[in-house]
Amino acid sequence: MSIEEQLLLQRWRAHLNQMNGTISTRETMVKYALAWLRGAMMYAPIKTYSQNFVQVVIETLWVVDTWNHYKEP
């Protein structure tokens, strides 16, 4: 995973931590998480991102959907 990808994931997860508890439903939280990430990634096609990056994104969304929040371990 590139440094840029790591930094993007770090910013995204930090932002999700800040939003923790402010969004009331899982569906809204998942949509919000996707919208934030889509906005941050809008200038490069998804295929330019590594498989590891996509895996971390999916794992993070799974946690958000399951628990209605994201909290860094």
Side-chain angles (χ1 to χ4, degrees):
M1 186 179 322
S2 72
I3 299 289
E4 292 83 8
E5 290 173 330
Q6 290 174 17
L7 291 173
L8 177 57
L9 287 173
Q10 212 172 35
R11 284 184 29 235
W12 183 48
R13 289 173 156 190
H15 187 70
L16 292 177
N17 278 334
Q18 291 173 345
M19 296 305 294
N20 193 7
T22 64
I23 297 177
S24 59
T25 68
R26 284 189 323 202
E27 181 180 322
T28 304
M29 184 63 180
V30 170
K31 285 181 181 178
Y32 179 84
L34 282 170
W36 190 97
L37 190 60
R38 185 176 59 229
M41 295 171 62
M42 67 189 275
Y43 297 108
I46 189 69
K47 60 186 166 189
T48 62
Y49 292 92
S50 71
Q51 195 68 22
N52 288 339
F53 176 84
V54 174
Q55 182 178 349
V56 171
V57 166
I58 291 170
E59 289 171 358
T60 302
L61 289 171
W62 182 267
V63 169
V64 168
D65 186 47
T66 303
W67 301 106
N68 191 28
H69 70 277
Y70 180 77
K71 188 69 177 163
E72 282 285 341

